Coordinates of all heavy atoms in Angstrom, one line a residue:
T13 N 0.5 20.9 -23.0 CA 0.5 22.3 -23.5 C -0.6 23.1 -23.0 O -0.4 24.2 -22.4 CB 0.5 22.3 -25.1 OG1 1.5 21.5 -25.5 CG2 0.6 23.7 -25.6
A14 N -1.9 22.6 -23.1 CA -3.0 23.4 -22.6 C -2.9 23.7 -21.1 O -3.1 24.8 -20.7 CB -4.3 22.7 -22.9
C15 N -2.6 22.7 -20.3 CA -2.5 22.9 -18.9 C -1.3 23.8 -18.5 O -1.4 24.6 -17.6 CB -2.3 21.5 -18.2 SG -3.9 20.6 -18.2
H16 N -0.2 23.6 -19.3 CA 1.0 24.4 -19.0 C 0.7 25.9 -19.2 O 1.0 26.7 -18.3 CB 2.1 24.0 -20.0 CG 3.4 24.8 -19.8 ND1 4.3 24.5 -18.9 CD2 3.8 25.9 -20.5 CE1 5.3 25.4 -19.0 NE2 5.0 26.2 -20.0
I17 N 0.0 26.2 -20.3 CA -0.3 27.6 -20.6 C -1.3 28.1 -19.6 O -1.2 29.3 -19.2 CB -1.0 27.7 -22.1 CG1 0.1 27.4 -23.1 CG2 -1.6 29.0 -22.3 CD1 -0.4 27.2 -24.5
M18 N -2.2 27.3 -19.1 CA -3.2 27.8 -18.2 C -2.8 27.8 -16.7 O -3.6 28.0 -15.8 CB -4.5 26.9 -18.3 CG -5.1 27.0 -19.7 SD -5.7 28.7 -20.1 CE -7.2 28.8 -19.2
G19 N -1.5 27.5 -16.5 CA -1.1 27.6 -15.1 C -0.3 26.5 -14.5 O 0.2 26.5 -13.4
A20 N -0.2 25.3 -15.2 CA 0.5 24.2 -14.6 C 2.0 24.5 -14.4 O 2.6 23.9 -13.6 CB 0.3 23.0 -15.5
A21 N 2.5 25.4 -15.2 CA 3.9 25.8 -15.0 C 4.2 26.3 -13.5 O 5.2 26.0 -13.0 CB 4.3 26.9 -16.0
D22 N 3.2 27.0 -13.0 CA 3.3 27.4 -11.5 C 3.1 26.2 -10.6 O 3.7 26.0 -9.6 CB 2.3 28.5 -11.2 CG 2.7 29.8 -11.9 OD1 3.9 30.0 -12.2 OD2 1.8 30.6 -12.1
L23 N 2.1 25.4 -11.0 CA 1.6 24.3 -10.1 C 2.8 23.3 -9.8 O 2.9 22.7 -8.7 CB 0.5 23.5 -10.7 CG -0.8 24.3 -10.8 CD1 -1.9 23.4 -11.5 CD2 -1.3 24.8 -9.5
I24 N 3.6 23.1 -10.8 CA 4.7 22.1 -10.7 C 5.7 22.5 -9.6 O 6.4 21.6 -9.2 CB 5.3 21.8 -12.1 CG1 5.9 20.4 -12.1 CG2 6.2 22.9 -12.6 CD1 5.0 19.3 -12.3
T25 N 5.7 23.7 -9.2 CA 6.6 24.2 -8.2 C 6.0 24.0 -6.8 O 6.6 24.4 -5.8 CB 6.9 25.7 -8.3 OG1 5.7 26.5 -8.1 CG2 7.5 26.0 -9.7
I26 N 4.8 23.4 -6.7 CA 4.1 23.3 -5.4 C 4.9 22.6 -4.3 O 4.7 22.9 -3.2 CB 2.7 22.6 -5.6 CG1 1.8 23.0 -4.5 CG2 2.8 21.2 -5.9 CD1 0.3 22.8 -4.7
E27 N 5.7 21.6 -4.7 CA 6.5 20.9 -3.7 C 7.3 21.8 -2.8 O 7.4 21.6 -1.7 CB 7.4 19.9 -4.4 CG 7.9 18.8 -3.5 CD 8.4 17.6 -4.2 OE1 8.3 17.5 -5.4 OE2 8.9 16.7 -3.5
D28 N 7.8 22.9 -3.5 CA 8.6 23.8 -2.7 C 7.8 24.6 -1.7 O 8.3 25.2 -0.7 CB 9.3 24.9 -3.6 CG 10.2 24.2 -4.6 OD1 10.7 23.1 -4.3 OD2 10.4 24.8 -5.7
L29 N 6.5 24.7 -1.9 CA 5.6 25.4 -1.0 C 5.1 24.6 0.2 O 4.5 25.1 1.1 CB 4.4 26.0 -1.7 CG 4.7 26.9 -2.9 CD1 3.5 27.3 -3.6 CD2 5.5 28.1 -2.5
L30 N 5.3 23.3 0.1 CA 4.8 22.4 1.1 C 5.7 22.5 2.4 O 6.9 22.4 2.2 CB 4.7 21.0 0.7 CG 3.7 20.7 -0.5 CD1 3.9 19.2 -0.9 CD2 2.3 21.0 -0.1
A31 N 5.1 22.5 3.5 CA 5.8 22.5 4.8 C 6.5 21.1 4.8 O 6.0 20.1 4.3 CB 4.9 22.7 6.0
E32 N 7.6 21.1 5.5 CA 8.5 19.8 5.5 C 7.7 18.6 5.9 O 7.8 17.6 5.2 CB 9.6 20.0 6.5 CG 10.7 18.9 6.4 CD 11.3 18.8 5.0 OE1 11.7 19.8 4.4 OE2 11.4 17.6 4.6
P33 N 6.9 18.6 7.0 CA 6.2 17.3 7.3 C 5.2 16.9 6.2 O 5.0 15.7 6.0 CB 5.4 17.6 8.6 CG 5.8 19.0 9.0 CD 6.6 19.7 7.9
L34 N 4.6 17.8 5.5 CA 3.7 17.5 4.5 C 4.4 17.0 3.2 O 3.9 16.0 2.6 CB 2.9 18.8 4.1 CG 1.5 18.7 3.6 CD1 0.6 17.9 4.5 CD2 0.9 20.1 3.4
R35 N 5.5 17.6 2.9 CA 6.3 17.2 1.7 C 6.7 15.7 1.7 O 6.6 15.1 0.7 CB 7.5 18.1 1.7 CG 8.2 18.1 0.3 CD 9.4 18.9 0.2 NE 9.2 20.3 0.7 CZ 10.1 21.2 0.9 NH1 11.4 20.8 0.7 NH2 9.8 22.4 1.3
E36 N 7.0 15.2 2.9 CA 7.4 13.8 3.0 C 6.2 12.9 2.8 O 6.4 11.7 2.6 CB 7.9 13.5 4.5 CG 9.2 14.2 4.7 CD 9.5 14.2 6.2 OE1 8.8 13.6 7.0 OE2 10.6 14.8 6.6
R37 N 5.0 13.4 2.8 CA 3.9 12.5 2.7 C 3.2 12.6 1.4 O 2.1 12.1 1.2 CB 2.9 12.8 3.8 CG 3.7 12.7 5.1 CD 3.0 12.8 6.4 NE 1.9 11.9 6.4 CZ 0.9 12.1 7.3 NH1 1.0 13.0 8.2 NH2 -0.1 11.3 7.3
V38 N 3.8 13.3 0.4 CA 3.2 13.6 -0.9 C 4.2 13.2 -2.0 O 5.4 13.5 -1.9 CB 2.8 15.1 -1.0 CG1 2.2 15.4 -2.3 CG2 1.9 15.5 0.1
E39 N 3.7 12.5 -3.0 CA 4.5 12.3 -4.2 C 3.9 13.0 -5.4 O 2.8 12.8 -5.8 CB 4.5 10.8 -4.5 CG 5.5 10.4 -5.5 CD 5.6 8.9 -5.6 OE1 5.5 8.2 -4.6 OE2 5.8 8.4 -6.7
I40 N 4.7 14.0 -5.9 CA 4.2 14.8 -7.0 C 4.9 14.5 -8.2 O 6.1 14.4 -8.3 CB 4.4 16.3 -6.6 CG1 3.6 16.6 -5.3 CG2 4.0 17.2 -7.7 CD1 3.9 18.0 -4.7
K41 N 4.1 14.3 -9.3 CA 4.7 14.0 -10.6 C 4.1 14.9 -11.7 O 2.9 15.1 -11.6 CB 4.3 12.5 -11.0 CG 5.1 11.5 -10.3 CD 4.7 10.1 -11.0 CE 4.9 9.0 -10.0 NZ 4.1 7.9 -10.2
G42 N 4.9 15.3 -12.6 CA 4.3 15.9 -13.8 C 4.0 14.9 -14.8 O 4.8 13.9 -15.0
V43 N 2.9 14.9 -15.5 CA 2.5 13.9 -16.5 C 2.1 14.7 -17.8 O 1.7 15.8 -17.8 CB 1.3 13.1 -16.0 CG1 1.7 12.2 -14.8 CG2 0.1 13.9 -15.7
T44 N 2.3 14.0 -18.9 CA 1.9 14.5 -20.2 C 0.4 14.5 -20.3 O -0.3 13.9 -19.5 CB 2.5 13.8 -21.3 OG1 2.2 12.4 -21.2 CG2 4.0 13.9 -21.3
C45 N -0.1 15.2 -21.3 CA -1.6 15.4 -21.5 C -2.4 14.2 -21.1 O -2.1 13.1 -21.6 CB -1.9 15.8 -22.9 SG -3.6 16.1 -23.2
I46 N -3.3 14.3 -20.2 CA -4.1 13.2 -19.7 C -5.4 13.2 -20.5 O -6.3 12.4 -20.1 CB -4.3 13.2 -18.2 CG1 -4.7 14.6 -17.7 CG2 -3.0 12.8 -17.5 CD1 -4.9 14.7 -16.2
G47 N -5.6 14.0 -21.5 CA -6.7 14.0 -22.4 C -8.0 14.8 -21.9 O -8.9 14.8 -22.7
L48 N -7.9 15.3 -20.8 CA -9.1 16.0 -20.2 C -9.3 17.4 -20.9 O -10.4 17.9 -20.9 CB -9.0 16.2 -18.7 CG -8.9 14.9 -17.9 CD1 -8.5 15.2 -16.5 CD2 -10.2 14.2 -18.0
C49 N -8.3 17.9 -21.6 CA -8.5 19.2 -22.2 C -9.1 19.1 -23.6 O -9.4 20.1 -24.2 CB -7.1 19.8 -22.4 SG -6.0 18.8 -23.4
K50 N -9.4 17.9 -24.0 CA -9.9 17.7 -25.4 C -11.4 18.1 -25.5 O -11.8 18.4 -26.6 CB -9.8 16.2 -25.8 CG -8.4 15.6 -25.7 CD -7.4 16.2 -26.7 CE -6.1 15.6 -26.5 NZ -5.0 16.4 -26.8
D51 N -12.2 18.0 -24.5 CA -13.5 18.6 -24.6 C -13.8 19.3 -23.3 O -13.1 19.2 -22.3 CB -14.6 17.4 -24.9 CG -14.5 16.3 -23.8 OD1 -14.7 16.6 -22.7 OD2 -14.2 15.2 -24.2
E52 N -15.0 20.0 -23.2 CA -15.2 20.9 -22.1 C -16.0 20.2 -21.0 O -16.2 20.9 -20.0 CB -15.9 22.2 -22.6 CG -14.9 23.0 -23.4 CD -15.5 24.4 -23.7 OE1 -16.6 24.7 -23.3 OE2 -14.7 25.1 -24.5
V53 N -16.4 19.0 -21.1 CA -17.2 18.3 -20.0 C -16.4 18.2 -18.7 O -17.0 18.2 -17.7 CB -17.7 16.9 -20.4 CG1 -18.9 17.0 -21.3 CG2 -16.6 16.1 -21.0
H54 N -15.1 18.2 -18.8 CA -14.3 18.1 -17.6 C -13.9 19.4 -17.0 O -13.3 19.4 -15.9 CB -13.0 17.3 -18.0 CG -13.2 16.0 -18.6 ND1 -13.8 14.9 -17.9 CD2 -13.0 15.6 -19.9 CE1 -13.9 13.9 -18.7 NE2 -13.4 14.3 -19.9
G55 N -14.3 20.5 -17.6 CA -14.0 21.8 -17.0 C -12.7 22.3 -17.8 O -12.4 21.9 -18.9
K56 N -12.1 23.3 -17.2 CA -11.0 23.9 -17.9 C -9.6 23.5 -17.3 O -9.5 23.2 -16.1 CB -11.1 25.4 -17.8 CG -12.4 25.9 -18.6 CD -12.4 27.4 -18.5 CE -13.6 27.9 -19.3 NZ -14.1 29.2 -18.9
P57 N -8.6 23.6 -18.1 CA -7.2 23.3 -17.6 C -6.8 24.4 -16.6 O -7.4 25.5 -16.7 CB -6.4 23.2 -18.8 CG -7.2 23.6 -20.0 CD -8.6 23.9 -19.5
P58 N -5.8 24.3 -15.8 CA -5.0 23.1 -15.7 C -5.7 22.0 -14.9 O -6.4 22.3 -14.0 CB -3.7 23.6 -15.0 CG -4.1 24.8 -14.2 CD -5.3 25.4 -15.0
F59 N -5.4 20.7 -15.2 CA -5.9 19.6 -14.5 C -4.9 18.9 -13.6 O -3.7 18.8 -14.0 CB -6.4 18.5 -15.5 CG -7.6 19.0 -16.3 CD1 -7.4 19.5 -17.6 CD2 -8.9 19.1 -15.8 CE1 -8.4 19.9 -18.4 CE2 -9.9 19.6 -16.6 CZ -9.7 20.0 -17.9
V60 N -5.3 18.6 -12.4 CA -4.5 17.8 -11.5 C -5.3 16.7 -11.0 O -6.5 16.8 -10.7 CB -4.0 18.8 -10.3 CG1 -3.2 18.0 -9.3 CG2 -3.3 20.0 -10.8

Side-chain angles (χ1 to χ4, degrees):
T13 306
C15 289
H16 179 82
I17 290 168
M18 297 297 282
D22 289 338
L23 295 178
I24 204 76
T25 66
I26 199 163
E27 197 163 355
D28 299 335
L29 302 176
L30 297 175
E32 191 60 45
L34 207 53
R35 195 179 308 169
E36 292 167 2
R37 308 187 49 197
V38 179
E39 190 171 324
I40 299 172
K41 283 187 205 152
V43 295
T44 54
C45 178
I46 48 180
L48 297 170
C49 61
K50 307 291 183 214
D51 56 59
E52 289 186 4
V53 282
H54 303 291
K56 294 183 178 157
F59 294 102
V60 177

